[in-house]
Amino acid sequence: MHMQSVQERAEAQSQHEQAQYTRGHQRIASELDKGYIMERDSEEVTTAYGLLPHGLFIGTPEPSASAADYVGRENGGVQSAAGVVRSDADMSAAVLNGSEAQYDPSIPVAEELLKSKLRSDPARLNRRYFDALSKSILEVVQQVRMGGGKSGRWEQERERLGGVVKTVRMIIESVFPGSTVHQVGSTVSGLALADADLDFTVLFPRGTNYTAVQCVERLAGALKLDGPFGEVKPLPRAKVPILKLKDMATGIRCDISFGNELALHNTKLLATYALLDHRVRQMTVFRELPSISLHPPESDLVTSVKHWVKRKGINFPVMGHPSSYCYTLLVINFLQRRNVIPSLQTLPPSGSGTVPERLLTTSSGSYNVYFHNEPDRLHEIWQTENEETVGELLLAFFKDFGTELDFVYKVSSVRTGGLLHKAEKNWSKDSANGRSGGGRIKHWMAVEDPFDLEQNLSSSVDRDMLHAIRGHFQVASKILCGATDLPASKSLGLETMGTAALARAVVEKICEECEPLKRGGVSGRSAAAFGGGVGRRGRKSKGIYLGE
Ligand code: CTP
Ligand code: MG
């Protein structure tokens, strides 16, 4: 018997494949009007063919699936084993982009997207697209972050802000002798956008009995009489009483709170998170925190999310939105749950095996403000294996917030680095509890303050607002992953673009400016804005879970 040489076997194999390929073409030509067809090898589908207006799609499905799993003629497409229906437009994108447009299962978010209910375009979920997406996000962030844009702006902004900080300090210290004025918030933590406000909190020596409301009114009175501030807006009845100012010469806005000593600690906590990983930060730093040497800007996720929530008009606490501080914590918690960063509050100091307590006692209670604050030595006790890019993480974050996070039962907790159950906190969307009690607080959305554990930072977000905000996240994730069910106004006709142009267009599209979402008026608007994707009572919308 003639034994085939290796070379002969290879040739035979190649001829067989060629024949199969040709047969596929012929069958497609003969079944032109029948949509997609399958090449079968016994009971298993080996190849799926699709004849499209722009050309031919040839894909290799999962070997264990049967033809029935793939044919979705009523949907006008082929369904992959992961359950994603690909429309003609998706197919043509795959064809036009050739080998670049292959779904890459080694990218975690690509795999997750195909398993999710978002109807992603698999052809888009590849390394080239995510790299281009990361690049486009960073381009935007470099423009919008504090000190970004033209070179030298960082120094200029530092000077500009420094002048206002000095003036505010001087005035407050003269109105309240003995007080100390502390800068907090993003311009200190390093997570600031170019037009961030300056946040301050004023502390008094022990034994001083001013209430925050009295302080707000007294300082507002003094500043209205005299001072460089064009706008002086006291908000004594806000959850945290605050005085808002706008400096006439520079246009810089300031928020002044009183006695919020915890703000100093939570600002340092955020600053330390910002230093841990380039994916957390993208910002400019204006002054050095004691013991932490902050560096000039790099890439990040927080800043891009802060920019995006601003463009969507969903970052105004007075309108019932989460605050910037709250969004920042949500991003940090997401990165913790993805093992990009740890929970600093659960890690011991370097060289110690136990996690200590560090109690801060104020007039409103005692708080454990310990956290691991040696970012330079963190690698000795914690390392990440997560290598996802900002593009992948941003899409994963939008997907998580928009469609997956269980807002009905769960609490986002940076303190623990995970999600808690609302029942553990005695928080619920139906019943009221907590410090402000009185039957008014309904915890539809729950974000635990890292130190003030009784404070739900998103308790002012009501049910409709939560749906509408999630709608924005959902639409952004759909645009990013090229979902096949996007309404015409949101889809971009992208299949003819190259990858870099596609990524730029996608980032531009998700960042389109929207009117701020108004309390009580969100449902109709949002339904229209999201192409019917989110409804007032929309428990389920187009198969996507939106919370209860
Ligand atoms: N803060 C707080 N408790 C809140 C809200 C805010 O302690 N419920 C403190 C935090 O220290 C926070 C600071 O106030 O860092 C400023 O809050 P905010 O302006 O919302 O956050 P920023 O990070 O400064 O965001 P932006 O850059 O948009 O101003
Ligand atoms: Mg601020």
Side-chain angles (χ1 to χ4, degrees), residues 184-187 196-199 255 306 324:
V184 294
S186 62
T187 52
D197 57 2
L198 283 171
D199 298 290
D255 279 1
K306 279 172 81 167
S324 248

Side-chain angles (χ1 to χ4, degrees), residues 85-107:
V85 176
R86 303 181 58 181
S87 71
D88 282 10
D90 306 328
M91 296 293 202
S92 54
V95 171
L96 285 175
N97 290 335
S99 59
E100 288 165 11
Q102 295 293 315
Y103 157 68
D104 182 346
S106 71
I107 300 173

Side-chain angles (χ1 to χ4, degrees), residues 2 5 75 109 202 293 400 514:
H2 170 68
S5 69
N75 293 312
V109 71
V202 183
S293 160
D400 184 60
C514 297

Side-chain angles (χ1 to χ4, degrees), residues 435-455:
R435 191 177 297 143
S436 327
R440 287 186 302 116
I441 299 180
K442 292 193 173 182
H443 302 275
W444 282 98
M445 179 176 169
V447 179
E448 181 191 63
D449 185 89
F451 299 128
D452 183 358
L453 309 188
E454 277 184 46
Q455 195 188 159

Side-chain angles (χ1 to χ4, degrees), residues 133-165:
L133 190 59
S134 300
K135 193 162 168 270
S136 298
I137 292 166
L138 296 189
E139 277 167 13
V140 171
V141 167
Q142 272 163 14
Q143 288 303 313
V144 300
R145 73 171 181 228
M146 197 162 252
K150 290 179 235 106
S151 62
R153 228 173 86 187
W154 184 41
E155 290 302 319
Q156 277 171 23
E157 294 211 30
R158 187 156 62 169
E159 222 166 83
R160 209 168 64 104
L161 286 181
V164 180
V165 171

Side-chain angles (χ1 to χ4, degrees), residues 489-503:
S489 63
K490 303 277 175 197
S491 63
L492 305 165
L494 297 169
E495 56 275 13
T496 55
M497 289 184 186
T499 312
L502 169 89

Side-chain angles (χ1 to χ4, degrees), residues 146-147 153-166 168-169 173 180-192 197-203 261 263-272 274-275 283-297:
M146 197 162 252
R153 228 173 86 187
W154 184 41
E155 290 302 319
Q156 277 171 23
E157 294 211 30
R158 187 156 62 169
E159 222 166 83
R160 209 168 64 104
L161 286 181
V164 180
V165 171
K166 240 190 213 162
V168 168
R169 276 225 167 91
E173 283 167 4
T180 48
V181 182
H182 302 263
Q183 209 185 323
V184 294
S186 62
T187 52
V188 179
S189 68
L191 297 164
D197 57 2
L198 283 171
D199 298 290
F200 299 91
T201 192
V202 183
L203 300 182
E261 202 169 342
L264 269 62
H265 296 272
N266 62 40
T267 297
K268 282 184 196 168
L269 179 70
L270 297 191
T272 311
L275 286 175
M283 68 282 186
T284 301
V285 177
F286 287 84
R287 62 169 236 213
E288 302 211 331
L289 288 171
S291 84
I292 302 174
S293 160
L294 298 171
H295 308 290

